[in-house]
Amino acid sequence: MFQGASALNLDAKGRMSIPAKHRDALNVQCEGRVTLTRHPHGCLLLFPRPTWEAHREQIAAWPMAARAWQRILLGNACDVEMDGNGRILVAPELRNAVGLQRDVMVLGMGSHFEIWDAAKLAENEAEAMAGGMPEALSNFSF
């Protein structure tokens, strides 16, 4: 299970270091082979390749009515591998699609990661907090 937030920087070539706390797990789980794709909420998703392959099969089986969503998720998927320094290259098309600049946040979301432009994530979280707890979580308590 991947969890936690990491503040990172994209270098001039669009490379991003995988947080050190997750590198070993990704090397064991998928030999550093991951897949990046777009999320409609304005971030990128990073999956270990075996996890992505299971999702890819499900997405490919969606009905024609979901074709636009297939394009977003499958049409933007990009297989990448960690280099010897634990970095991945984020394709310019993906960076541009979600507005990734230099400062990024990587959030562990259990089976995968979300990669956000840091300013966009802060704005998104502020809006969520201002909107209050959604009804679906009304019975949730710590």
Side-chain angles (χ1 to χ4, degrees), residues 98-136:
V98 298
L100 282 186
Q101 302 296 316
R102 178 174 158 70
D103 298 324
V104 299
M105 291 293 296
V106 175
L107 306 176
M109 300 296 290
S111 65
H112 64 283
F113 299 91
E114 290 183 354
I115 303 171
W116 287 86
D117 176 76
K120 192 173 191 177
L121 176 63
E123 181 181 308
N124 184 287
E125 288 179 344
E127 287 175 14
M129 296 293 278
M133 185 82 69
E135 181 64 32

Side-chain angles (χ1 to χ4, degrees), residues 37 45 47 52-63 66-67 69-75:
T37 194
L45 300 174
F47 290 93
W52 169 250
E53 289 171 352
H55 287 295
R56 182 181 62 201
E57 296 304 318
Q58 291 175 339
I59 295 166
W62 288 351
R67 185 57 111 194
W69 289 91
Q70 286 176 318
R71 284 188 195 102
I72 292 168
L73 295 165
L74 292 179

Side-chain angles (χ1 to χ4, degrees), residues 87-100:
R87 298 174 302 189
I88 59 168
L89 177 64
V90 181
E93 296 84 3
L94 289 174
R95 292 193 312 263
N96 293 335
V98 298
L100 282 186

Side-chain angles (χ1 to χ4, degrees), residues 8-19 23 27 32-34 36 46 80-90:
L8 302 171
N9 294 314
L10 288 176
D11 70 13
K13 295 180 181 178
R15 294 176 299 195
M16 179 190 85
S17 292
I18 297 296
R23 263 185 227 151
N27 277 321
R33 295 177 305 125
V34 297
L36 287 167
L46 184 146
V80 295
E81 293 189 26
M82 282 193 299
D83 67 14
N85 295 319
R87 298 174 302 189
I88 59 168
L89 177 64
V90 181

